């Protein structure tokens, strides 16, 4: 099954892997899922031929990525759409089991945690509304355990109030990031269109909403931050994709991976972002495996196939092209689920088509893979076939997600 390298070939292969590793992470700058200091440490060990040390750093980095918690606080005044925003981030319908309670009255009287249904390390906290006569930002933040959160999202459905601005000042003073989100802009546009049907200008109305928010800051002697105009019911419209891009860039590298995987498939760039993140995870696993001197095997063993099935199903769930997601999609779009299944390829990857075996599918993919990626991804000849199959699965699932997004 495996074979240890000789000392000479070990150093040669370690050098090849080091140059391949370095080249790969040079082309993944903004979306790195491990910190630069970790990358530098791995490269240093590889340069010196310290295989076990490099393997240990990669193993710890992967473990950290899988286990590091991401904790987001959502606050603002009651009725602003905090709970709806949390449901949207989690990809959960308001009436689904486990959804954040949505209502026209104050439904959140204490801070309430909501786990992401697919990414268990991601928790969104619905904080109590801040509209109270005796509101003191510092006391409020201490009461809701401000130190636990990676950042705060302050949600408003109108102009931002002095209470919300005072809260932002306190958050900044305590060295945490915050983001201002203006919700329900779709309702504002609808109302404006009804009232002024002949003169309605969508972009002009959006600019007026944004200006109204910005003016609140200047009136309170504050520099206006970036304000994200969103609709909780139409995530692909307005600034929601921009908000997600901003959060990804601001998060520490080791927290980006699971946060990116949690994002809904609302745009093709969002799908591509997931693909790049998972590709890095596969690459790191493959490097770790290569450092243990596992050489390619002639065939694909039964145990490999079972593990590959698990990986394929995992990718399908993350990209929303699994059977359960297809059922929901079919119901929402009023399209027969069989019609959706005919559009995609990933459910059938492990099936044989005529005389095409899994190994033959792999060879066809490798030809495309090598010509498309050229350098760093094509040089890892010591990677087991199962890792190349994971790349095949990931590419196929990614394309399936895009096909369904275009259709639906």
């Amino acid at each position: 099954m495996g074979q240890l390298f000789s000392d000479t070939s070990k150093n040669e292969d370690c050098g090849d892997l080091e140059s391949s590793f370095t080249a790969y992470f040079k082309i993944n700058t903004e979306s790195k899922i491990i910190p630069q200091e970790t990358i530098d440490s791995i490269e240093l060990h590889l340069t010196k031929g310290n295989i076990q040390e490099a393997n240990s750093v990669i193993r710890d980095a992967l473990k950290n990525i899988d286990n590091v918690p991401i904790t987001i606080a959502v606050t603002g005044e009651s009725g602003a759409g905090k709970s709806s925003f949390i449901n949207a981030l989690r990809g959960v319908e308001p009436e689904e089991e486990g959804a954040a309670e949505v209502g026209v009255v104050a439904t959140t009287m204490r801070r309430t945690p909501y786990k992401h249904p697919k990414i268990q390390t991601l928790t969104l906290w619905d904080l109590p509304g801040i509209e109270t006569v005796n509101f003191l930002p510092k006391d409020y933040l201490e009461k809701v355990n401000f130190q636990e959160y990676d950042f705060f999202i302050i949600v408003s459905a109108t102009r931002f109030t002095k209470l919300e601005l005072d809260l932002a000042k306190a958050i900044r003073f305590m060295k945490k990031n915050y983001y201002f989100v203006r919700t329900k802009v779709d309702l504002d546009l609808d109302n404006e269109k009804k009232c002024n049907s002949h003169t309605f200008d969508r972009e002009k109305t959006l600019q007026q909403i944004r200006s109204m928010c910005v003016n609140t800051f200047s009136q309170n002697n504050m520099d206006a931050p970036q304000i994200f105009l969103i609709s909780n019911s139409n995530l692909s419209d307005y600034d929601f994709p921009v908000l997600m891009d901003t959060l990804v860039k601001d998060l520490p590298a080791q927290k980006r991976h699971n946060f990116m995987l949690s994002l809904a498939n609302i745009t093709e760039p969002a799908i591509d972002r997931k693909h790049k993140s998972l590709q890095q995870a596969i690459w790191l696993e493959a490097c770790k495996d290569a450092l243990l001197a596992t050489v390619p095997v002639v065939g694909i063993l039964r145990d490999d196939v079972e593990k590959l099935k698990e990986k394929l199903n995992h990718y399908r769930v993350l990209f929303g092209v699994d059977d359960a997601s297809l059922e929901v999609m079919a119901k929402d779009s009023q399209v027969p689920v069989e019609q959706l299944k005919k559009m995609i390829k990933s459910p059938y990857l492990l099936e044989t088509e005529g005389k095409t075996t899994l190994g033959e599918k792999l060879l066809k993919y490798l030809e495309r893979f090598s010509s498309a990626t050229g350098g760093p991804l094509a040089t890892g000849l010591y990677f087991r076939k199962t890792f190349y199959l994971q790349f095949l699965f990931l590419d196929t699932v990614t394309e399936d997600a895009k096909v369904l997004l275009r259709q639906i």
Side-chain angles (χ1 to χ4, degrees), residues 68-74 86 89-90 111-117 119-126 148-151 258-259 262:
V68 66
I70 308 166
T71 311
I72 302 171
V74 182
I86 286 172
L89 276 177
R90 296 169 65 229
R111 71 181 194 129
T112 308
Y114 293 96
K115 290 279 187 186
H116 192 280
I119 308 298
Q120 288 301 296
T121 55
L122 173 58
T123 306
L124 294 112
W125 287 85
D126 194 353
E148 291 183 13
Y149 313 113
D150 289 296
F151 56 84
N258 279 335
F259 184 75
S262 76

Side-chain angles (χ1 to χ4, degrees), residues 174-209:
M174 293 172 174
K175 303 189 185 314
K176 293 280 186 177
N177 283 343
Y178 63 84
Y179 304 87
F180 279 100
V181 170
R182 170 59 159 81
T183 60
K184 304 182 182 181
V185 293
D186 53 333
L187 300 181
D188 291 323
L189 289 173
D190 287 344
N191 290 334
E192 179 66 20
K193 190 172 183 179
K194 287 176 184 176
C195 295
N196 301 287
S197 58
H198 296 298
T199 58
F200 173 73
D201 184 320
R202 182 180 186 275
E203 293 307 315
K204 182 179 178 181
T205 303
L206 287 173
Q207 185 55 47
Q208 288 173 341
I209 295 171

Side-chain angles (χ1 to χ4, degrees), residues 364-375 378:
K364 290 180 181 178
Y365 173 71
L366 284 177
E367 290 177 7
R368 300 197 307 272
F369 183 83
S370 298
S371 61
T373 60

Side-chain angles (χ1 to χ4, degrees), residues 328-347:
V328 173
M329 198 179 300
K331 183 179 178 181
D332 290 345
S333 59
Q334 297 183 331
V335 174
V337 69
E338 293 77 14
Q339 183 176 330
L340 296 181
K341 287 183 177 179
K342 288 179 182 178
M343 298 177 184
I344 62 177
K345 298 177 180 179
S346 57

